[in-house]
């Protein structure tokens, strides 16, 4: 059983929107901080956003503030990333991951690719 | 917090040691007294995996040939005897300051 499975990536035009989903299983999702990280080949990964276990607190990197929203549904064991006003520079592989210790991400999904291009 | 790594690429003979340096633009010592510097390896075709957390704690299942050290702004990941399965991209990442930030990565391959 794969603990984290992302979906929702694809090709979108600049200015468009996408909603990424991450389905969790085989660990205690409801008590876990969760994170989205994105990675462009040949560059270091970029931490995008994280969310507290109960969803009451969210934090985003400045480059996506006002455009991306992280959320979760603990009843569905699911994490989401709503991405609006997409830019070419948002093109990356997006991973969801569990944060068990202040940025120590111990469980990762397989990633979903987002391509922003006209 | 800007993270830098050196070298950016490393070619190692199997059985030989290797080390990667990671430096942060500000101290990673948290007010709690803990230092949230972590190391990851992304093997070809795979998602990143956690190797070391909080500078020197080896994550579950990580071979003991991997070790981490350092404090403040200077950190090192060492591999005592490199094996073929260790090839990939190594990243440091700080969790002390928001936003969390990663280093640019060090590509390790086998000679």
């Amino acid at each position: 059983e794969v603990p984290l499975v992302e979906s929702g990536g694809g090709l979108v035009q600049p200015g468009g929107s996408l909603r990424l989903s991450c389905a969790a299983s085989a660990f205690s999702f409801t008590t876990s901080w969760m994170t989205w990280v994105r990675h462009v080949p040949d560059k270091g990964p970029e931490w995008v956003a994280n969310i507290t276990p109960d969803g009451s607190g969210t934090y985003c990197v400045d480059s996506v503030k006002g455009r991306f929203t992280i959320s979760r549904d603990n009843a569905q064991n699911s994490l989401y990333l709503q991405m609006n006003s997409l830019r070419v520079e948002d093109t990356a592989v997006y991973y969801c991951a569990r944060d068990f210790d202040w940025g120590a991400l111990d469980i990762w999904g397989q990633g979903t690719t987002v391509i922003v291009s006209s | 917090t800007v993270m830098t790594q050196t070298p950016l690429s490393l070619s190692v003979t199997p059985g030989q040691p290797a080390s990667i340096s990671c430096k942060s633009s500000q101290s990673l010592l948290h007010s709690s007294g803990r230092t949230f510097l972590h190391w990851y390896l992304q093997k070809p075709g795979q998602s990143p995996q956690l190797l070391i957390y909080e500078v020197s704690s080896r994550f579950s299942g990580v071979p003991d040939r991997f070790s981490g050290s350092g404090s403040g702004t200077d950190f090192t990941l060492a591999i005592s005897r490199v094996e073929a399965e260790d090839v990939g991209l190594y990243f440091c990442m700080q969790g002390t300051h928001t936003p969390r930030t990663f280093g640019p990565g060090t590509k390790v391959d086998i000679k």
Side-chain angles (χ1 to χ4, degrees):
Chain A
E1 191 172 24
V2 181
L4 291 170
V5 179
E6 301 96 336
S7 60
L11 174 63
V12 62
Q13 292 189 335
S17 298
L18 278 178
R19 188 193 197 207
L20 305 185
S21 299
C22 174
S25 60
F27 69 94
S28 180
F29 178 78
T30 58
T31 60
S32 298
W33 282 71
M34 297 298 296
T35 295
W36 287 99
V37 172
R38 64 185 179 183
H39 191 201
V40 177
D42 298 326
K43 289 181 64 176
E46 181 178 33
W47 177 89
V48 175
N50 69 0
I51 188 167
T52 56
D54 65 359
S56 63
T58 62
Y59 308 88
C60 290
V61 69
D62 283 350
S63 59
V64 308
K65 275 181 184 172
R67 301 188 300 123
F68 291 12
T69 303
I70 185 172
S71 63
R72 66 192 296 160
D73 182 343
N74 283 349
Q76 298 292 323
N77 278 359
S78 292
L79 177 72
Y80 305 102
L81 187 67
Q82 178 66 44
M83 304 187 296
N84 298 330
S85 303
L86 281 161
R87 304 169 180 168
V88 170
E89 55 265 33
D90 295 320
T91 295
V93 177
Y94 285 73
Y95 296 94
C96 64
R98 181 177 78 163
D99 185 338
F100 89 96
D101 179 43
W102 288 78
L105 308 176
D106 66 333
I107 303 173
W108 294 69
Q110 84 289 352
T112 187
T113 300
V114 172
I115 300 173
V116 185
S117 174
S118 54
Chain B
T1 305
V2 177
M3 307 298 289
T4 58
Q5 289 180 234
T6 54
L8 296 182
S9 67
L10 192 55
S11 189
V12 188
T13 301
Q16 294 300 303
S19 67
I20 300 169
S21 171
C22 174
K23 296 183 188 295
S24 57
S25 60
Q26 58 181 315
S27 175
L28 301 185
L29 178 63
H30 188 263
S31 56
S32 64
R34 297 159 69 184
T35 300
F36 300 108
L37 185 283
H38 318 300
W39 289 96
Y40 297 88
L41 165 60
Q42 185 172 30
K43 296 183 178 182
Q46 297 184 18
S47 301
Q49 59 189 81
L50 180 65
L51 293 176
I52 302 285
Y53 64 97
E54 291 193 47
V55 181
S56 59
S57 294
R58 207 175 299 114
F59 186 61
S60 174
V62 174
D64 61 8
R65 63 179 180 275
F66 290 94
S67 63
S69 63
S71 64
T73 60
D74 291 349
F75 304 92
T76 301
L77 175 72
I79 311 173
S80 59
R81 295 172 304 279
V82 172
E83 297 188 6
E85 65 182 27
D86 299 335
V87 298
L89 275 170
Y90 289 78
F91 302 101
C92 59
M93 184 252 215
Q94 67 82 22
T96 298
H97 305 288
T98 299
R100 320 252 196 253
T101 44
F102 289 86
T106 296
K107 185 176 182 180
V108 173
D109 63 25
I110 298 295
K111 282 183 181 176

